[in-house]
Amino acid sequence: MGYVKRKGTKAVKKTVEDFPQIKQNFIKRIADTVQKYDVPQDMIVNWDQTGVAIVPAGEWTMEAEGSRQVSIAGLDDKRQITAVFAASAVGEFLPPQLLYQGKTDRCHPSYKFPELWDIHHTESHWSNHASMMRYVDRVIVPYFESTRARLGLPANQQGIAIFDVYRAHRGEELLQLLRENHISPIFVPAACTDRLQPMDLAANKLFKDMIKREFQQWYGGRVCESLNGGNEETTIDLKLSELKPIHAKWLVTAVQQVSTRTDDLIAGFN
């Protein structure tokens, strides 16, 4: 009947008509706001959500020489958390918000995160209006306040927050909270985040590559321990109860590493 076996592929990204003009208009909106309010680069911030796999294995595996085999329980595991990342145009990486899936704090890992990180949850783990109000109140507003103080700027010095048109970002209450704190919201044009959003152009991939490396090092160590112990076949336990605190440590390590990549973060804004 004309059918052939094919490997699954991802959907093709939408083609944005008149992208050069859309880009030009977007950059002009930022430039006009900078000029109108004399906004320093330290006061320009982009935030973005990204899903972070609990088991960031991809298609990677390990196999010892000979007949020994290693199975990866959960290789196709889809469990995730959401990380909300932000950086300034001078390459300062802000404390992240991490969203776990659940209804209470009991879904959080038993791990002591850095004090300024916002650890929270939603029923789906994706950002919603309430979690974004919390994020702006606990991360974004304090950043602008401390930056004004550090630079000796007046309390009403305007800043700029750049973010995409995700539904949780469009509520009038959230936009009003930004404006009340002297922060001008500017939306990244729809379907253009992969080409115009600084976090997409810099931090997100860096972070995920680092998380994957942390997982591979941990997983490889566990496999080697088991094989060296004489086990012919090894299955690594990937229960959520065991992985969550380990994953939390990987998150902290990866964020610390991304925070040092100032030039890469700045390049995302250029």
Side-chain angles (χ1 to χ4, degrees), residues 94-131:
L94 279 61
Q97 181 186 69
L98 303 181
L99 296 174
Y100 288 86
Q101 185 172 8
K103 296 182 179 181
T104 70
D105 291 357
R106 293 181 62 185
C107 68
H108 301 179
S110 299
Y111 184 84
K112 186 174 178 58
F113 286 98
E115 182 179 357
L116 295 180
W117 289 31
D118 184 32
I119 310 304
H120 195 45
H121 53 269
T122 64
E123 289 192 35
S124 65
H125 83 71
W126 295 112
S127 295
N128 57 30
H129 175 72
S131 72

Side-chain angles (χ1 to χ4, degrees), residues 38-45 88-90 92 142-155 157-159:
D38 193 21
V39 181
Q41 294 291 293
D42 305 63
M43 296 283 286
I44 302 174
V45 164
S88 73
V90 295
E92 182 173 352
Y143 169 79
F144 281 102
E145 290 177 343
S146 64
T147 301
R148 292 184 187 102
R150 175 172 57 83
L151 298 179
L153 299 171
Q157 168 64 56
Q158 200 73 10

Side-chain angles (χ1 to χ4, degrees), residues 130-178:
S131 72
M132 286 309 306
M133 290 290 291
R134 174 186 169 110
Y135 175 70
V136 168
D137 185 58
R138 296 193 177 202
V139 177
I140 297 299
V141 170
Y143 169 79
F144 281 102
E145 290 177 343
S146 64
T147 301
R148 292 184 187 102
R150 175 172 57 83
L151 298 179
L153 299 171
N156 64 349
Q157 168 64 56
Q158 200 73 10
I160 296 173
I162 302 167
F163 45 89
D164 59 37
V165 293
Y166 180 50
R167 181 178 180 180
H169 299 162
R170 302 198 307 266
E172 184 55 37
E173 188 180 10
L174 180 73
L175 301 178
Q176 186 59 30
L177 177 61
L178 291 168

Side-chain angles (χ1 to χ4, degrees), residues 3-265:
Y3 288 102
V4 295
K5 187 175 181 179
R6 297 285 302 276
K7 183 178 180 179
T9 58
K10 294 182 179 180
V12 177
K13 289 183 179 292
K14 290 183 179 179
T15 299
V16 179
E17 295 184 6
D18 300 324
F19 175 74
Q21 185 63 52
I22 291 172
K23 178 180 178 180
Q24 182 178 336
N25 293 343
F26 172 62
I27 293 173
K28 186 177 186 300
R29 283 199 300 275
I30 296 172
D32 288 349
T33 306
V34 168
Q35 183 176 24
K36 180 178 180 179
Y37 297 109
D38 193 21
V39 181
Q41 294 291 293
D42 305 63
M43 296 283 286
I44 302 174
V45 164
N46 169 234
W47 80 61
D48 184 36
Q49 289 89 353
T50 188
V52 182
I54 298 291
V55 182
E59 297 179 351
W60 177 88
T61 186
M62 279 188 66
E63 184 173 342
E65 292 182 358
S67 61
R68 292 180 176 181
Q69 294 185 353
V70 178
S71 62
I72 304 179
L75 182 60
D76 297 320
D77 198 313
K78 303 302 182 184
R79 292 172 297 177
Q80 289 188 326
I81 67 168
T82 294
V84 187
F85 293 142
S88 73
V90 295
E92 182 173 352
F93 201 67
L94 279 61
Q97 181 186 69
L98 303 181
L99 296 174
Y100 288 86
Q101 185 172 8
K103 296 182 179 181
T104 70
D105 291 357
R106 293 181 62 185
C107 68
H108 301 179
S110 299
Y111 184 84
K112 186 174 178 58
F113 286 98
E115 182 179 357
L116 295 180
W117 289 31
D118 184 32
I119 310 304
H120 195 45
H121 53 269
T122 64
E123 289 192 35
S124 65
H125 83 71
W126 295 112
S127 295
N128 57 30
H129 175 72
S131 72
M132 286 309 306
M133 290 290 291
R134 174 186 169 110
Y135 175 70
V136 168
D137 185 58
R138 296 193 177 202
V139 177
I140 297 299
V141 170
Y143 169 79
F144 281 102
E145 290 177 343
S146 64
T147 301
R148 292 184 187 102
R150 175 172 57 83
L151 298 179
L153 299 171
N156 64 349
Q157 168 64 56
Q158 200 73 10
I160 296 173
I162 302 167
F163 45 89
D164 59 37
V165 293
Y166 180 50
R167 181 178 180 180
H169 299 162
R170 302 198 307 266
E172 184 55 37
E173 188 180 10
L174 180 73
L175 301 178
Q176 186 59 30
L177 177 61
L178 291 168
R179 296 186 189 109
E180 288 172 355
N181 285 278
H182 310 289
I183 304 167
S184 297
I186 295 180
F187 287 108
V188 178
C192 296
T193 57
D194 60 323
R195 290 186 279 182
L196 294 179
Q197 180 146 255
M199 290 295 94
D200 272 336
L201 296 169
N204 291 350
K205 185 179 186 305
L206 280 173
F207 175 82
K208 290 184 178 182
D209 287 345
M210 292 170 181
I211 281 285
K212 186 174 292 187
R213 185 168 64 245
E214 291 293 319
F215 169 78
Q216 291 174 350
Q217 290 175 350
W218 171 82
Y219 187 86
R222 295 289 294 270
V223 168
C224 289
E225 287 177 9
S226 182
L227 293 176
N228 290 338
N231 295 315
E232 291 295 321
E233 294 187 5
T234 301
T235 299
I236 305 303
D237 188 359
L238 299 179
K239 290 199 305 287
L240 199 57
S241 58
E242 178 175 348
L243 271 184
K244 268 189 176 180
I246 299 171
H247 185 261
K249 183 179 179 181
W250 302 338
L251 293 170
V252 172
T253 299
V255 167
Q256 289 173 341
Q257 292 173 348
V258 171
S259 298
T260 67
R261 302 285 288 270
T262 304
D263 290 344
D264 290 312
L265 296 173

